[in-house]
Amino acid sequence: ENVTVIFMNLYLPGMSGFETTSEIKEEKDVSIIAITSEQEETLTDEMIEVGFTSVLNKPLQKEKVLKLLTKLSEKKESLPIFDYEHYKKTFKDVELQKDIIDTFLSEEESDTKRIKEAFKTNDKDEIYSAVHYMKGSFSYLKATRILVLTQSILDRLKLDDLEYAMIHKDEFIKQYQELVRELKKVWS
């Protein structure tokens, strides 16, 4: 449900990646990355027209993928802090909606403390644990903007890139606080 990026092979049996991308873009606003074995890593006019966001060559290289995902996550202004419409569609029961948000907000103080303390330690494993703990909540809440940043931080920590997490620490905390404000506004 909470898809923000799709990797699409250009040449699929039956329906091409172009046709599939065109159909997806009619239904959902999502970044779609073309995967190709061709040498050029530039979007053609046809790719842009059907809705591809970027292109990567096969075989995929982890660093190039992470760099592109980071670049896409930095376009965060187009992602919602809290996708309330998607949230309501996912959790149709209003009491359940309220319960999930109330639970998240009631744990805000302890979660904020844990996240800040983890970043103060400069310990990769502690930061990973604290950020990963929050990922499930962000997913449930359809908090797309911070979810993309969360996944980027986790992916980079898996590669022992503590510097990336530290550089994005303030942005993570800021987005977390924005989400809390947005949730309070929706349910007050």
Side-chain angles (χ1 to χ4, degrees):
E1 276 294 317
N2 199 19
V3 176
T4 56
V5 177
I6 296 173
F7 291 86
M8 180 69 65
N9 196 331
L10 289 181
Y11 305 104
L12 301 168
M15 181 184 263
S16 77
F18 291 93
E19 294 167 305
T20 306
T21 296
S22 182
E23 285 191 17
I24 291 170
K25 291 301 261 186
E26 287 177 18
E27 299 292 321
K28 186 164 180 62
D29 184 25
V30 62
S31 295
I32 302 180
I33 301 168
I35 306 299
T36 181
S37 57
E38 297 170 11
Q39 293 304 313
E40 281 295 314
E41 275 196 11
T42 56
L43 287 169
T44 64
D45 289 341
E46 182 184 13
M47 290 172 155
I48 293 168
E49 190 176 308
V50 297
F52 282 104
T53 308
S54 276
V55 61
L56 287 172
N57 285 343
K58 292 182 200 174
L60 293 179
Q61 297 172 358
K62 190 177 253 185
E63 281 303 315
K64 281 189 173 186
V65 171
L66 286 174
K67 185 177 179 181
L68 179 57
L69 290 175
T70 300
K71 182 178 159 188
L72 291 173
S73 75
E74 288 169 355
K75 295 180 179 178
K76 66 181 189 291
E77 63 278 350
S78 65
L79 299 173
I81 294 169
F82 171 54
D83 190 344
Y84 187 50
E85 292 306 312
H86 188 191
Y87 182 74
K88 288 191 304 188
K89 287 178 188 172
T90 303
F91 304 105
K92 293 177 177 44
D93 181 338
V94 176
E95 284 304 312
L96 179 59
Q97 292 174 25
K98 185 175 180 344
D99 187 46
I100 292 169
I101 290 174
D102 286 346
T103 301
F104 180 82
L105 292 175
S106 72
E107 296 172 1
E108 171 205 351
E109 191 175 321
S110 62
D111 290 343
T112 300
K113 183 179 176 183
R114 180 179 182 196
I115 290 165
K116 286 181 177 180
E117 286 178 2
F119 277 112
K120 279 183 190 175
T121 67
N122 281 354
D123 180 300
K124 177 183 72 76
D125 294 332
E126 184 60 31
I127 294 168
Y128 186 93
S129 176
V131 172
H132 190 270
Y133 174 79
M134 298 303 301
K135 180 182 171 186
S137 296
F138 300 150
S139 182
Y140 264 105
L141 290 168
K142 310 304 177 203
T144 310
R145 186 179 300 179
I146 196 167
L147 188 59
V148 169
L149 179 59
T150 299
Q151 191 60 57
S152 295
I153 290 171
L154 294 174
D155 289 344
R156 296 302 286 260
L157 287 171
K158 285 181 192 173
L159 295 172
D160 290 324
D161 188 354
L162 177 60
E163 183 181 351
Y164 180 88
M166 298 310 292
I167 288 169
H168 290 85
K169 167 189 77 165
D170 292 337
E171 182 63 23
F172 181 86
I173 292 169
K174 178 182 164 217
Q175 287 186 30
Y176 178 69
Q177 292 167 340
E178 286 176 5
L179 174 61
V180 168
R181 280 193 299 276
E182 189 71 18
L183 293 173
K184 286 179 177 178
K185 187 168 60 173
V186 168
W187 287 101
S188 57

